[in-house]
Amino acid sequence: MSATPAARVFAGESAALPARAFPWALAMGAGFGLLRLAPDAFWRMTPRELAAALSALLPAAPDAIDRAGLAALMARFPDRTRG
């Protein structure tokens, strides 16, 4: 289950990952440039709302591979053994 690029950028970090600064330049560029938001509308949005708005502009992420799909790939492209 993979998130859209916008969702990955704006959704925040897991507790297991080191904290990073929020990408304000990217968020403002997307909000003002792509979505054409007025400044007051942009600053009232949460990062999650911005990600949801941007996800409408991006193609849907493909579904995750299931067990049968993985087995088919493994059969088609087997690992090579050494020696």
Side-chain angles (χ1 to χ4, degrees):
M1 160 169 63
S2 107
T4 64
R8 283 189 298 253
V9 170
F10 297 113
E13 297 293 330
S14 162
L17 299 174
R20 292 187 294 186
F22 187 80
W24 285 110
L26 181 61
M28 291 187 318
F32 298 134
L34 291 174
L35 297 175
R36 304 277 200 202
L37 294 171
D40 63 321
F42 173 81
W43 291 111
R44 284 193 317 261
M45 294 180 96
T46 65
R48 193 169 296 231
E49 290 169 332
L50 181 60
L54 288 169
S55 69
L57 301 176
L58 300 170
D63 290 332
I65 192 169
D66 61 6
R67 188 174 296 273
L70 177 60
L73 281 173
M74 290 172 67
R76 186 170 177 196
F77 303 103
D79 289 339
R80 294 182 185 164
T81 58
R82 294 183 189 194

